[in-house]
Amino acid sequence: MFRLLDYVFFFLFIATFFMTACTASLPSGNIHEPSTYYHRMDLKTGGFQRSYRVHVPLEYNGTTKMPLVVVIHGAFDTAKGIEKFSGFSRLADRENFVVLYPEGIGILGYLQHWNAGHCCGKAADDQIDDVGYLASAIKDVCMRLAIDWQRIYMVGFSNGGMMTYRFAAERSGMLAAAAPIAASIGGQPNTDAPQWRIPRPKTPLPILVVHGLDDDDIPFDGGRSMHRKGERSYISVDDSVQFWVESNACIGNPVVSHMYGGAIQIRSWNTCKNATVSVLCKIEGWGHTWPGPYFTANLPPDDPLFNFDVAEIIWNFFKQFP
């Protein structure tokens, strides 16, 4: 007789099988048609074999080197999930870049997390080397596809945004720019734990920080989260941005501008070392949700954020920095 737990794991196995079976495996040779491919790497971290999804755009010909945008999902999500609601694959087909969607670790492809230092889940508890995995995944894609090594960018949401912060700090030389969304450079998993924050990057790096002012999971002003029993706390967005302003040796006051009827404020430090910039994008009335058409299209047509697409903002920022 099956126990309840057996049924749960059997269901997860079947669901995971169909989730990957519906996606073609990444060919070892030439890519003959644009698509999103699944690849299981010959790499294990913490006992987990790692994998990723990669979207090859419509104009890919295998000869012309294209930019690579690495998009990192949040906690309890998957590479397939963030591909669906971020809109980056659709944008890649229009703008001609490759998109890498790495997979965190979880239970048979679900409830996935990243070890961002202070968060989250089993990945952080077991000190999984996710920085090493992401570096390996990037190198793997660059070996298999025609990628411009000078134009590799990273964006992440929530726990994926924290992972973006960490990777940008520890492997700044691998990226041309980064964009953490709804994230923090550090925090505490509970009141008994010491505060953790990312180390100083070795080289300056253009960075765009995006955060909703109504985020109660990772509060803009920092402090305790309103979720997960309020045990977890985070460094504020202003402190996170100041960390990069100092790391990029920016001088002077930021240039302030507004978009979307004033619903979005942009603060940009443009005079920084090595021609980098540090930018903060604050979204009025927005919580802990990806700010893109998958969600903003459901807003009333007279809402300033109706159909707002953060992927467009991020890509326009990225492509300035080869």
Side-chain angles (χ1 to χ4, degrees), residues 211-281:
H211 213 105
L213 292 176
D214 288 356
D215 192 329
D216 62 359
D217 197 332
I218 303 176
F220 188 93
D221 292 329
R224 289 195 176 189
S225 170
M226 297 295 291
H227 298 266
R228 299 168 187 83
K229 301 179 181 179
E231 297 177 350
R232 196 174 287 279
S233 65
Y234 300 100
I235 294 171
S236 73
V237 175
D238 283 338
D239 286 346
S240 297
V241 172
Q242 186 60 33
F243 172 91
W244 286 96
V245 168
E246 294 173 2
S247 295
N248 287 337
C250 301
I251 59 175
N253 295 322
V255 175
V256 181
S257 60
H258 294 83
M259 302 168 59
Y260 288 81
I264 294 176
Q265 183 194 85
I266 307 291
R267 298 172 64 85
S268 181
W269 288 260
N270 298 322
T271 307
C272 308
K273 190 175 181 180
N274 292 4
T276 60
V277 299
S278 302
V279 180
L280 169 61
C281 174

Side-chain angles (χ1 to χ4, degrees), residues 57-75:
L58 297 174
E59 297 298 322
Y60 181 81
N61 58 22
T63 302
T64 304
K65 291 185 177 182
M66 289 187 165
L68 175 67
V69 177
V70 185
V71 182
I72 306 181
H73 66 76

Side-chain angles (χ1 to χ4, degrees), residues 70-123:
V70 185
V71 182
I72 306 181
H73 66 76
F76 304 109
D77 199 8
T78 63
K80 184 176 182 180
I82 199 164
E83 179 184 19
K84 180 179 180 180
F85 65 72
S86 72
F88 262 101
S89 290
R90 181 177 63 253
L91 182 61
D93 286 337
R94 193 187 79 207
E95 295 288 326
N96 297 324
F97 58 86
V98 175
V99 192
L100 168 61
Y101 300 99
E103 297 277 14
I105 66 156
I107 302 174
L108 295 174
Y110 290 88
L111 306 178
Q112 296 185 155
H113 295 76
W114 301 97
N115 175 18
H118 59 106
C119 180
C120 295
K122 184 176 177 61

Side-chain angles (χ1 to χ4, degrees), residues 277-293:
V277 299
S278 302
V279 180
L280 169 61
C281 174
K282 299 195 291 188
I283 307 178
E284 188 80 35
W286 196 256
H288 198 72
T289 305
W290 179 275

Side-chain angles (χ1 to χ4, degrees), residues 6 26 29 38-39 71 78 81 94 116 139 154 157 163 169 178 190 202-203 211 218 243 271 283 294 300-301 304 314:
D6 294 325
L26 183 64
Y38 172 83
H39 181 63
V71 182
T78 63
R94 193 187 79 207
K139 292 175 183 177
M154 182 175 287
F157 175 73
M163 193 67 235
N190 55 67
K202 293 182 178 179
T203 58
H211 213 105
I218 303 176
F243 172 91
T271 307
I283 307 178
Y294 190 85
I314 291 170

